[in-house]
Amino acid sequence: MTLSATSVLRRLEALKDSFGSGTAAEKSELLQRLEGEALTGAKRVLRLHELLCYWRAYPENREILERVEAMLERFDRRADLRRHRGELEDSGIAGTVLYFRFYWLMAIRIAERWPELLTIDWRDFDDAPKLLELLHLLVPYSESPALDAFDNPPREWIRRLKGPRETDASFLIRRFAALRLPRPVTEHLYEKLDVPVRLEPGPDTPARTREKWDGARVVYQRRPPSRGRPSLRETARTAKFRVRNLSPRRGREVIDLANAAMVPRHRDLLVFLHADERDVRMVDFGDGLQFACIGAKPERRLMLEAVYGFLTLKNGVPIGYVLNSALFGSCELAYNVFDTFRGAEAGTIYARFLAAVHRLFGADSFTIDPYQLGHGNREGQLSGAWWFYYKFGFRPRDPEIRELVRQELRRLERDPAYRTSPERIDRLAADNMYFHLGRRRSDVLGRISLGNIGLAASRYLAERFGSDRERGIRTCAAEAAELLGLRSLKRLPPGERLAWERWSPLVLALPGVRRWSVTQRRALAAVVRAKGGRRESDFVRLFDAHPRLRRAMLELAR
């Protein structure tokens, strides 16, 4: 009996996690059936798309991979997609419209790449009246009489001001780019405006359908993905992987892929937007799993902790991302798996990621912040994130939360079918959770007040220089150079010089720094320079290897 297209789809979904069981030929035959048959309903089209993306990341053999990639390549030309395009808007499928409120850097990149496809979504532009206040800044002074005389709504003004062959969004973004202001000020003004935009589909616009890095070696899936929960300690001790530096050209390819993967998922990650192609490494576990480790440009780095973004790749397909902040021998982790791939290897991938940052940053303590656990985060509450980390061995330290945990465990013991409510998860997630490979300690991220360290720098500058902070930075930079034995600031590369200027007030505010030995002060100079060097992870290693500096920073933090 001939199966309907819907029945074929259901059978394929039943085979989703069947690997190495003799079903490859059936998968291939059924996929071939769906190449030429239309599905009824937008949800079925979406289900087929997600299955193809999944098997692209987890292909059983070459034949299935080639068929899946061919179907994805032509997906935007499917008749059923065209029929249901309106219902599939903002799904991230190739051939459908995307809506987003981009950060400035993403907005300008998209306006430069696809200017004719980008328009303002005026229906959702709640802050459009604020645009009227900025128009005088965005156009030449010769146009000010018209702006003063006529009370047009924002949409009408943009229509009159833009060129006949440019879109409203491209005009607005280009005018912001033309402002003679420091880049951070331009970014702030644009992002406060919160412009919602609509990106029409094009042959190469960001789409989940197209996401893949061609630098990955494909490893075929011979068995179902592991859904177990390996030991973090054992994995950190025994995991084997290779770390290799990418050339700036290949690094830029990975950065572009990371940013493109964020667009259809309505996310902007600053570390990807401000990424430095000189600081991209590939962490390769040899079985198709890779983490692209991406660092930020020196001018975009945080003052203290080092932040890296990791794009998780399975056979070159982005399946998630992780943010990692590192300092004091510890890491704060934010782990995300894209919806299509949730449930497949989540525990295994997490354990391997922790093993990777343990080696890359020398960290033995790890923490998860409240939002990632579900505090004030409905998605996190419903996904069970808090229990995911608890079962891995992460524990809260807050006494009230620990009592709540005991109550929940007693309820689960009495009723195995019991599930913690989202409201209860919100309370459980109100403080960080911690995991230690070594001894439990408190000098870790999440427990150290980095804000107090910043206040020490503010106090020092305020007492010596008051409002003249510019003179203060120049003076501190010179005094810190003399104290730490640096002969000339002019000879430093730009990134290192910037880091030196930023750190110099803090250097001078360190308790007892003038009594340190010459060796200790020269080591401190190396720490500061590494903050602006090619690889920020070098800064973390040097910082954590300087006991005197760590003690002084902890004293400021207290």
Side-chain angles (χ1 to χ4, degrees), residues 31 156 210 370 385 401 408 509 558:
L31 284 171
E156 175 63 16
R210 303 187 180 102
I401 294 177
E408 289 299 296
R558 286 191 290 270

Side-chain angles (χ1 to χ4, degrees), residues 92-321:
I93 297 177
T96 64
V97 172
L98 284 174
Y99 296 89
F100 200 30
R101 299 170 186 265
F102 296 111
Y103 281 157
W104 166 250
L105 276 186
M106 187 65 80
I108 190 67
R109 286 180 182 181
I110 289 179
E112 290 173 351
R113 183 77 180 273
W114 302 285
E116 73 286 357
L117 300 178
L118 195 64
T119 56
I120 296 173
D121 183 13
W122 292 99
R123 298 168 304 172
D124 289 338
F125 197 175
D126 299 330
D127 292 328
K130 293 181 182 178
L131 181 54
L132 293 174
E133 303 170 15
L134 295 172
L135 282 180
H136 280 84
L137 297 176
L138 298 175
V139 297
Y141 194 71
S142 56
E143 300 182 58
S144 61
L147 295 175
D148 293 337
F150 300 111
D151 190 22
N152 292 323
R155 186 173 188 174
E156 175 63 16
W157 269 125
I158 297 299
R159 186 188 69 79
R160 288 176 174 270
L161 294 171
K162 74 179 186 66
R165 289 179 295 278
E166 63 184 345
T167 68
D168 48 12
S170 295
F171 169 80
L172 182 62
I173 292 167
R174 287 166 174 166
R175 290 315 306 159
F176 267 95
L179 288 174
R180 296 180 180 179
L181 295 171
R183 175 65 70 84
V185 177
T186 300
E187 292 178 17
H188 177 76
L189 286 174
Y190 180 83
E191 289 165 13
K192 288 291 286 184
L193 197 56
D194 201 24
V195 184
V197 296
R198 170 188 172 104
L199 181 62
E200 295 289 339
D204 60 349
T205 49
R208 297 188 295 112
T209 317
R210 303 187 180 102
E211 294 170 353
K212 188 172 182 180
W213 185 54
D214 64 7
R217 181 177 66 89
V218 175
V219 179
Y220 296 109
Q221 194 75 25
R222 303 303 186 191
R223 61 180 63 87
S226 170
R227 297 180 185 273
R229 191 182 306 111
S231 163
L232 296 183
R233 286 187 175 83
E234 183 67 14
T235 305
R237 186 178 66 83
T238 62
K240 292 180 172 59
F241 55 88
R242 186 165 63 102
V243 181
R244 58 189 173 92
N245 299 322
L246 297 187
S247 68
R249 181 182 65 82
R250 294 297 267 170
R252 175 48 55 189
E253 290 175 4
V254 171
I255 292 167
D256 289 344
L257 175 63
N259 281 305
M262 297 300 107
V263 173
R265 294 174 174 89
H266 298 167
R267 303 186 187 195
D268 270 340
L269 296 188
L270 291 177
V271 69
F272 289 163
L273 289 171
H274 301 307
D276 188 343
E277 60 267 21
R278 301 175 307 151
D279 188 10
V280 180
R281 284 164 282 180
M282 194 61 70
V283 182
D284 192 339
F285 283 83
D287 61 352
L289 177 66
Q290 297 173 301
F291 297 101
C293 174
I294 301 172
K297 294 178 180 178
E299 64 270 21
R300 295 292 184 168
R301 295 171 184 171
L302 296 185
M303 177 69 184
L304 298 174
E305 66 269 44
V307 176
Y308 276 79
F310 291 76
L311 185 67
T312 309
L313 301 169
K314 184 68 175 181
N315 288 314
V317 177
I319 63 171
Y321 67 92

Side-chain angles (χ1 to χ4, degrees), residues 384-392 405 408-409 412 420 425 428:
W386 194 91
W387 285 111
F388 174 83
Y389 294 113
Y390 185 87
K391 291 173 182 177
F392 258 126
V405 175
E408 289 299 296
L409 292 174
L412 283 167
T420 308
I425 289 289
L428 289 169

Side-chain angles (χ1 to χ4, degrees), residues 406-418:
R406 285 190 284 270
Q407 293 174 16
E408 289 299 296
L409 292 174
R410 285 195 292 269
R411 290 183 182 183
L412 283 167
E413 188 176 351
R414 290 194 300 267
D415 179 9
Y418 170 77

